[in-house]
Amino acid sequence: MLFDQETHDKLITFRHELHQFPEVSGQEQKTSARVLSFLEYYSPDEIIQDLGGHGLAAVFNGLEKGPTVLVRCELDGLPIQETNDIPYQSKIPGKGHLCGHDGHMVMVAGLAPLLTRTRPTKGRVVLLFQPAEETGAGAKAVIEAPAFTDIKPDYAFSLHNLPGQPLHEVGLKSGPFNCASQGLWITLEGKTSHASHPENGKSPATAMCELVTKLAELPNLSELSNDFSLVTVVHARLGEEAFGISPGFAKVMVTLRSQTDDIMTILRERSEVLISAIAQRHQLKITFGYEDIFAASVNHPAATDILKQAFNDESITQTEMSTPMRWSEDFGQFGRVSKSAMFTLGSGTNQPQLHNPDFDFPDELIETGTQIFYRVIRNVLGPRN
């Protein structure tokens, strides 16, 4: 076993505690405080707080100079009501750790007792607990924080549990690993009128229907069709719930998704050309903007090889992924400042999917995740035994 029984039990108890008190993106103050309390027991050489919001980093120095290895996890939960009937069910109405970030936190926190017991031969390890992953804002805010300059890593690693993949099995590929995505909102303004005389107003109904249809068809354009891209309509609203009013307002929200940032740039450009053309043709005032912006997460070849070696050394069953994950991850931001790589860790073939109200992170994955990260650290920084 990687941990003695006392530490093993402590980690599971900690995971259950985090699960009961989820906080959504940007509001992770109490979660960060719980992590801080756990880490302080193991006396890291430095603890940095308030990174990019409520982010937290613990630094463990090696015995001599060398590279910096950062291991990152996420602090935030989701605005979803949990439906599990478990002793440690969420106590916060309408919020739940239904993506497994509670488990990810404990995997990374589990490195603290190991690093306290055996410091790296060289370099240093940074355990990063990042805020606001679910909105795509957290990683960028952490990297832009002045304090991050002092812990800027040479290598950065992370994982995400993956339902549908066999328990303890890992998935990995070099290059694009998670898709880029952006939330695009559009408002169309015309003029209301009495429903009996719609000709006296300017309804955006036809334009809205055209937008919904045409935006979803953009990935079929020749310049986009050779690479994966997707436009998903997530919301559409027209006027008010009143039978006497011909509407004068509409709103459409779509998620743009692509395998690379370059394709995302094209997708945005084509979306904006289409939106403007439809608005002009129907003589409507238009506004649009973007939220929840995620860059593509791209695994660096050198960091990917380090992970592969760790899997082999620990006899972890691995699958070579042929395509990137469709969902997005703001871990891609760390690839802009370091050699970074992310992998998936199977959370079971019968596990409810991420963001389902009945998802619960499997406790038996804690040791597996920590074991992989610890092997990565030892292979890069020593000691190798």
Side-chain angles (χ1 to χ4, degrees):
M1 288 181 63
L2 187 65
F3 302 112
D4 58 48
Q5 192 62 50
E6 180 181 356
T7 303
H8 176 270
D9 294 344
K10 182 178 180 180
L11 289 170
I12 291 177
T13 299
F14 185 39
R15 208 279 292 182
H16 293 179
E17 177 187 351
L18 292 171
H19 189 91
Q20 291 179 80
F21 301 99
E23 296 175 296
V24 297
S25 299
Q27 300 176 19
E28 311 95 333
Q29 185 173 5
K30 292 180 181 178
T31 302
S32 185
R34 287 187 168 90
V35 173
L36 175 63
S37 178
F38 182 93
L39 293 173
E40 285 179 330
Y41 180 82
Y42 297 101
S43 302
D45 295 295
E46 183 181 8
I47 293 180
I48 303 171
Q49 300 183 65
D50 303 322
L51 272 171
H54 300 300
L56 179 72
V59 181
F60 291 84
N61 293 327
L63 303 178
E64 57 188 63
K65 290 185 178 181
T68 296
V69 173
L70 181 147
V71 184
R72 169 270 201 179
C73 61
E74 317 93 324
L75 289 165
D76 49 344
L78 289 161
I80 300 173
Q81 179 67 47
E82 181 177 14
T83 60
N84 289 309
D85 184 14
I86 51 179
Y88 50 90
Q89 183 185 43
S90 172
K91 296 182 181 293
I92 310 299
K95 299 177 184 178
H97 267 300
L98 303 169
C99 200
H101 292 181
D102 51 343
H104 299 174
M105 281 186 272
V106 175
M107 288 175 178
V108 175
L111 292 166
L114 302 174
L115 292 168
T116 295
R117 184 181 67 199
T118 306
R119 292 300 175 110
T121 302
K122 60 183 179 181
R124 60 181 177 171
V125 179
V126 178
L127 307 182
L128 174 64
F129 299 81
Q130 179 209 302
E133 187 281 323
E134 293 290 349
T135 62
K140 186 173 184 291
V142 166
I143 290 169
E144 292 177 350
F148 186 78
T149 304
D150 296 330
I151 57 170
K152 182 179 176 182
D154 298 283
Y155 297 96
F157 298 96
S158 190
L159 65 75
H160 207 293
N161 80 91
L162 183 61
Q165 185 175 353
L167 199 65
H168 305 293
E169 181 179 293
V170 296
L172 180 67
K173 70 181 295 293
S174 190
F177 190 78
N178 295 95
C179 284
S181 70
Q182 300 190 16
L184 167 62
W185 58 265
I186 308 136
T187 61
L188 300 169
E189 292 184 49
K191 183 180 179 181
T192 61
S193 180
H194 196 286
S196 66
H197 286 280
E199 70 276 9
N200 292 335
K202 193 176 293 183
S203 170
T206 303
M208 185 189 81
C209 293
E210 192 175 344
L211 264 180
V212 167
T213 302
K214 296 294 185 183
L215 283 169
E217 293 174 350
L218 283 178
N220 297 327
L221 294 174
S222 58
E223 58 192 317
L224 293 168
S225 59
N226 292 330
D227 293 280
F228 172 77
S229 62
L230 181 68
V231 178
T232 305
V233 178
V234 297
H235 176 80
R237 175 195 160 200
L238 176 67
E240 305 299 330
E241 295 183 11
F243 290 109
I245 303 174
S246 177
F249 174 86
K251 184 172 185 177
V252 176
M253 297 171 65
V254 299
T255 301
L256 310 179
R257 196 172 302 276
S258 64
Q259 184 168 306
T260 67
D261 292 332
D262 289 340
I263 295 298
M264 177 58 71
T265 298
I266 297 174
L267 195 57
R268 279 183 56 148
E269 290 173 351
R270 297 300 169 265
S271 297
E272 292 173 15
V273 169
L274 176 64
I275 292 165
S276 298
I278 290 175
Q280 185 175 8
R281 185 163 62 252
H282 293 276
Q283 297 181 324
L284 298 166
K285 180 183 177 182
I286 183 173
T287 56
F288 62 86
Y290 297 90
E291 298 178 14
D292 288 14
I293 297 174
F294 291 80
S297 185
V298 180
N299 283 352
H300 190 281
T304 303
D305 287 343
I306 289 170
L307 283 175
K308 287 180 179 178
Q309 185 61 53
F311 301 153
N312 291 333
D313 290 344
E314 298 297 324
S315 300
I316 303 291
T317 302
Q318 54 187 295
T319 297
E320 182 73 24
M321 297 165 55
S322 58
T323 58
M325 304 301 302
R326 282 195 178 191
W327 38 265
S328 303
E329 240 290 350
D330 77 348
F331 181 69
Q333 294 289 342
F334 292 97
R336 300 170 185 264
V337 297
S338 66
K339 297 174 182 178
S340 70
M342 170 176 260
F343 63 97
T344 61
L345 180 58
S347 48
T349 54
N350 296 318
Q351 173 80 337
Q353 289 299 309
L354 302 175
H355 295 208
N356 279 190
D358 55 344
F359 176 90
D360 182 34
F361 181 88
D363 286 329
E364 54 265 49
L365 281 188
I366 293 172
E367 186 159 331
T368 305
T370 305
Q371 176 186 6
I372 292 169
F373 286 137
Y374 191 44
R375 172 54 67 181
V376 164
I377 291 166
R378 286 185 290 164
N379 284 355
V380 178
L381 304 179
R384 290 296 298 267
N385 61 323

